[in-house]
Coordinates of all heavy atoms in Angstrom, one line a residue:
Chain A
N117 N 24.5 -10.3 15.8 CA 24.9 -10.8 14.5 C 25.2 -12.3 14.5 O 25.3 -12.9 15.6 CB 26.0 -9.9 13.9 CG 27.3 -10.1 14.7 OD1 27.5 -11.1 15.3 ND2 28.0 -9.0 14.8
V127 N 30.2 -22.8 17.1 CA 30.4 -23.3 15.7 C 30.8 -22.0 14.9 O 31.0 -21.0 15.5 CB 29.1 -23.8 15.0 CG1 28.6 -25.1 15.7 CG2 28.0 -22.7 15.1
L141 N 23.5 -29.5 4.6 CA 24.9 -29.7 5.0 C 25.2 -29.6 6.5 O 26.3 -29.6 6.9 CB 25.8 -28.6 4.3 CG 25.8 -28.7 2.7 CD1 26.6 -27.5 2.2 CD2 26.4 -30.0 2.3
A144 N 21.5 -32.5 12.1 CA 20.2 -32.1 12.7 C 20.5 -31.5 14.1 O 19.9 -30.6 14.5 CB 19.4 -33.4 12.8
T146 N 23.3 -30.0 15.3 CA 23.8 -28.6 15.1 C 22.7 -27.6 14.8 O 22.6 -26.6 15.4 CB 24.9 -28.6 14.0 OG1 25.6 -29.8 14.1 CG2 25.8 -27.4 14.2
K167 N 20.9 -8.8 1.3 CA 20.7 -8.1 0.0 C 21.9 -7.6 -0.6 O 22.1 -7.7 -1.8 CB 19.7 -7.0 0.2 CG 18.3 -7.4 0.6 CD 17.5 -6.1 0.8 CE 16.1 -6.5 1.4 NZ 15.3 -5.2 1.7
L168 N 22.8 -7.1 0.2 CA 24.1 -6.6 -0.3 C 24.9 -7.7 -1.0 O 25.4 -7.6 -2.1 CB 24.9 -6.0 0.8 CG 26.3 -5.5 0.4 CD1 26.2 -4.4 -0.7 CD2 27.0 -4.8 1.6
R189 N -9.7 13.4 -3.0 CA -9.9 12.3 -2.1 C -9.3 11.0 -2.8 O -8.7 11.1 -3.8 CB -11.3 12.1 -1.7 CG -11.9 13.3 -1.1 CD -12.6 13.2 0.2 NE -12.5 12.0 1.0 CZ -13.4 11.6 1.8 NH1 -14.5 12.3 1.9 NH2 -13.2 10.5 2.5
R209 N 4.9 -15.2 -2.8 CA 6.2 -15.5 -3.4 C 7.3 -14.9 -2.5 O 8.5 -14.8 -2.9 CB 6.4 -15.0 -4.8 CG 5.5 -15.7 -5.8 CD 5.5 -15.0 -7.1 NE 4.5 -15.6 -8.0 CZ 4.9 -16.4 -9.0 NH1 6.1 -16.7 -9.2 NH2 3.9 -16.9 -9.8
L229 N 15.7 3.8 -9.2 CA 15.0 3.0 -8.1 C 15.6 1.6 -8.2 O 15.9 1.0 -7.2 CB 13.5 2.9 -8.4 CG 12.7 2.2 -7.4 CD1 12.6 2.9 -6.1 CD2 11.3 2.0 -7.9
G244 N -2.3 5.1 -17.4 CA -2.7 6.5 -17.5 C -2.0 7.2 -18.6 O -2.0 6.8 -19.7
Q252 N 10.0 4.5 -22.9 CA 11.4 4.9 -22.6 C 12.0 3.8 -21.7 O 13.1 3.3 -22.0 CB 11.5 6.2 -21.9 CG 11.2 7.4 -22.8 CD 12.3 7.6 -23.8 OE1 13.4 7.5 -23.5 NE2 11.9 7.9 -25.0
V261 N 6.3 -4.5 -15.0 CA 5.1 -4.8 -15.7 C 4.0 -3.7 -15.3 O 4.2 -3.0 -14.4 CB 4.5 -6.2 -15.3 CG1 5.4 -7.3 -15.7 CG2 4.3 -6.2 -13.8
V266 N -3.7 -3.4 -23.0 CA -2.8 -4.2 -23.7 C -2.9 -3.8 -25.2 O -4.0 -3.8 -25.7 CB -3.2 -5.7 -23.6 CG1 -2.3 -6.6 -24.4 CG2 -3.0 -6.1 -22.1
R289 N -25.8 -4.5 -24.7 CA -26.9 -4.5 -23.8 C -27.8 -3.3 -24.1 O -29.0 -3.4 -24.0 CB -26.4 -4.4 -22.4 CG -27.5 -4.3 -21.4 CD -27.2 -4.9 -20.0 NE -28.2 -4.6 -19.1 CZ -29.3 -5.4 -18.9 NH1 -29.3 -6.6 -19.5 NH2 -30.2 -5.1 -18.0
R296 N -31.4 4.6 -27.9 CA -31.1 5.2 -29.2 C -30.1 6.4 -29.0 O -29.4 6.8 -29.9 CB -32.4 5.8 -29.9 CG -33.6 5.0 -29.6 CD -34.6 5.2 -30.8 NE -34.8 4.0 -31.5 CZ -34.1 3.6 -32.6 NH1 -33.2 4.5 -33.1 NH2 -34.4 2.5 -33.2
L315 N -14.5 2.6 -28.0 CA -14.6 2.1 -29.4 C -15.4 0.8 -29.4 O -16.2 0.6 -30.3 CB -13.2 1.9 -30.0 CG -12.4 3.2 -30.3 CD1 -11.1 2.9 -30.9 CD2 -13.2 4.1 -31.2
G331 N -22.6 9.7 -28.0 CA -21.9 10.9 -27.7 C -20.7 10.5 -26.8 O -20.5 9.4 -26.4
I333 N -18.6 12.2 -23.5 CA -18.4 13.3 -22.5 C -17.0 13.0 -21.9 O -16.7 12.0 -21.4 CB -19.4 13.3 -21.4 CG1 -20.8 13.4 -22.0 CG2 -19.1 14.4 -20.4 CD1 -21.9 13.4 -20.9
V335 N -14.1 13.6 -19.3 CA -13.9 14.1 -17.9 C -12.3 14.3 -17.8 O -11.6 13.5 -18.3 CB -14.4 13.1 -16.8 CG1 -15.9 13.0 -16.9 CG2 -13.7 11.8 -16.9
M347 N -21.1 16.1 -16.4 CA -22.4 15.5 -16.8 C -23.4 16.6 -16.7 O -24.3 16.7 -17.6 CB -22.7 14.4 -15.8 CG -24.0 13.6 -16.1 SD -23.7 12.6 -17.6 CE -25.3 12.7 -18.3
A371 N -20.2 6.7 -12.6 CA -21.6 6.3 -12.7 C -22.4 6.9 -11.5 O -23.5 7.3 -11.7 CB -21.7 4.8 -12.7
V374 N -23.1 10.3 -12.4 CA -24.2 10.3 -13.4 C -25.6 10.1 -12.7 O -26.5 10.9 -13.0 CB -24.0 9.2 -14.4 CG1 -25.2 9.0 -15.3 CG2 -22.8 9.4 -15.3
D380 N -31.1 14.7 -9.9 CA -31.3 16.2 -9.7 C -32.2 16.7 -10.8 O -32.8 17.8 -10.6 CB -30.0 16.9 -9.7 CG -29.3 16.7 -8.4 OD1 -29.8 16.1 -7.5 OD2 -28.1 17.2 -8.3
P386 N -33.7 2.8 -14.2 CA -33.4 2.8 -15.6 C -34.4 3.2 -16.6 O -34.2 3.2 -17.8 CB -33.0 1.3 -15.8 CG -34.1 0.6 -14.9 CD -34.3 1.5 -13.8
K387 N -35.6 3.7 -16.0 CA -36.7 3.9 -17.0 C -36.3 5.0 -18.0 O -36.4 4.7 -19.2 CB -38.0 4.4 -16.2 CG -39.3 4.2 -16.9 CD -40.5 4.4 -16.0 CE -40.8 5.9 -15.8 NZ -40.8 6.8 -16.9
D388 N -35.9 6.1 -17.6 CA -35.6 7.2 -18.5 C -34.2 7.0 -19.1 O -34.0 7.1 -20.3 CB -35.6 8.6 -17.8 CG -37.0 8.9 -17.3 OD1 -38.0 8.5 -17.9 OD2 -37.1 9.5 -16.2
S390 N -30.8 4.4 -18.9 CA -30.1 3.2 -18.5 C -28.6 3.6 -18.2 O -28.0 4.3 -19.0 CB -30.2 2.1 -19.5 OG -29.5 0.9 -19.1
S448 N -29.9 -1.2 -12.8 CA -29.8 0.1 -13.6 C -29.8 -0.1 -15.1 O -29.7 0.9 -15.8 CB -28.5 0.8 -13.2 OG -27.4 0.0 -13.7

Side-chain angles (χ1 to χ4, degrees):
Chain A
N117 65 34
V127 294
L141 296 176
T146 321
K167 290 178 187 176
L168 176 57
R189 301 233 13 208
R209 291 170 187 259
L229 184 69
Q252 288 291 318
V261 296
V266 174
R289 177 153 174 93
R296 331 204 111 266
L315 290 180
I333 305 178
V335 297
M347 191 68 216
V374 169
D380 286 354
K387 201 171 76 49
D388 300 326
S390 181
S448 70

